[in-house]
Amino acid sequence: MTVAEVLIRGEGVPLWRQIARQIEHDIRSNVLRPGDKLPTEWELTHRFGVNRHTVRRALAALAESGAVRAEQGRGTFVQEGLLDYPITRKTRFSATIRSQAKEPKGEMITVSEERAGARIASSLEIEPGTVVCRLDVLRRADGQPMSLTTHIYEKARFPQLVREYRNTGSLTDALREAGVADFSRLRTQVTARLPSPEETRLLQVAKTRPLLVTESVDVDRAGLPIGIGTARFPADRVQLVFEP
């Protein structure tokens, strides 16, 4: 056991805090690099000679500070640097991720239909009560969850959108198949809040870490609204950059 791994007992500093500090030391000294997977709880209990409860509290503190992230079923990883996500009139997730040398992937989580309330109807310029389609899509960069986006479209205008998205894996391509050759963002509104239990699970974030939430409206070349998007980004992974 090295000096860095020795825990001082009975000196007033909780063991879990000492473990957290030593893992932080490993990160600062590049023993653990951004994206590296931490040793398992079992390995850490043997390294420090403590029980699992103590190790879990240390890992929870590190996740709370943003030094590491826990991914359900995969383990705990050293947090990478913030990914720049430009907000422009032509924002496209896949192109943005590829421009930063990462591989994008989208996964359709749920599909449902509902009748548009006053707010949705106003944004899409349709009558309240019109049937709209809702798609919830989880997007990743190199396997890491980066956003959970809810897309809402008028069903009658885009009856095959869900099928085309399943075929292409791209909403841009699905809209092109539906006759929308190009579209742009009319406006974007940004807020921040804590995640829901479902968002915590899907985005693999701590329940105490905030999300950046963007609400946007896209329009076609004629200026007609085609869809509403509400995207939730982990604030410790994504930095929104507004560009003209």
Side-chain angles (χ1 to χ4, degrees):
M1 181 176 293
T2 65
V3 173
E5 294 174 324
V6 172
L7 301 183
I8 302 174
R9 302 172 188 266
E11 294 294 330
V13 180
L15 297 180
W16 65 267
R17 190 177 298 278
Q18 295 182 54
I19 293 171
R21 288 175 178 173
Q22 293 193 32
I23 294 175
E24 287 175 335
H25 176 270
D26 288 346
I27 294 172
R28 288 194 302 271
S29 60
N30 285 327
V31 174
L32 291 170
R33 297 177 179 274
D36 281 355
K37 185 177 181 180
L38 268 64
T40 65
E41 287 184 2
W42 184 87
E43 290 170 330
L44 290 172
T45 61
H46 282 265
R47 172 183 171 183
F48 294 109
V50 296
N51 58 41
R52 285 197 172 188
H53 174 76
T54 302
V55 167
R56 287 173 183 169
R57 189 166 182 185
L59 294 177
L62 290 168
E64 176 71 17
S65 70
V68 304
R69 70 177 190 277
E71 296 190 11
Q72 187 174 8
R74 296 189 63 206
T76 302
F77 298 81
V78 179
Q79 188 62 272
E80 294 97 334
L82 290 174
L83 182 145
D84 286 346
Y85 193 83
I87 302 295
T88 70
R89 288 180 57 82
K90 296 289 186 178
T91 295
R92 304 289 188 268
F93 179 84
S94 293
T96 294
I97 299 306
R98 288 195 179 100
S99 72
Q100 299 185 52
K102 296 181 182 293
E103 182 61 31
K105 183 178 181 181
E107 175 187 355
M108 190 182 297
I109 302 299
T110 58
V111 177
S112 61
E113 295 179 6
E114 59 188 68
R115 294 194 176 275
R119 185 181 180 190
I120 290 176
S122 176
S123 294
L124 291 179
E125 298 182 8
I126 57 178
E127 291 294 322
T130 300
V131 177
V132 294
C133 184
R134 169 179 172 146
L135 292 75
D136 292 304
V137 178
L138 178 65
R139 292 189 169 96
R140 303 175 185 270
D142 284 351
Q144 182 182 15
M146 299 304 295
S147 75
L148 178 62
T149 306
T150 298
H151 300 276
I152 296 179
Y153 297 91
E154 182 184 2
K155 183 183 179 183
R157 184 177 179 186
F158 303 106
Q160 304 302 323
L161 188 69
V162 173
R163 185 186 69 181
E164 293 299 336
Y165 178 77
R166 287 195 173 111
N167 289 339
T168 64
S170 164
L171 277 172
T172 300
D173 292 342
L175 286 167
R176 187 177 295 112
E177 290 295 324
V180 180
D182 192 19
F183 62 92
S184 59
R185 184 163 294 191
L186 178 65
R187 64 177 183 269
T188 302
Q189 174 181 313
V190 181
T191 56
R193 61 170 173 78
L194 294 177
S196 68
E198 182 71 356
E199 291 164 343
T200 297
R201 181 180 68 83
L202 290 172
L203 290 170
Q204 301 291 348
V205 295
K207 62 183 179 181
T208 55
R209 302 296 291 178
L211 301 178
L212 298 175
V213 183
T214 65
E215 297 183 11
S216 59
V217 177
D218 292 330
V219 296
D220 60 19
R221 287 175 173 172
L224 297 176
I226 60 170
I228 303 170
T230 302
R232 287 82 87 194
F233 299 91
D236 57 0
R237 295 179 205 161
V238 176
Q239 176 175 264
L240 302 179
V241 180
F242 286 80
E243 298 179 352

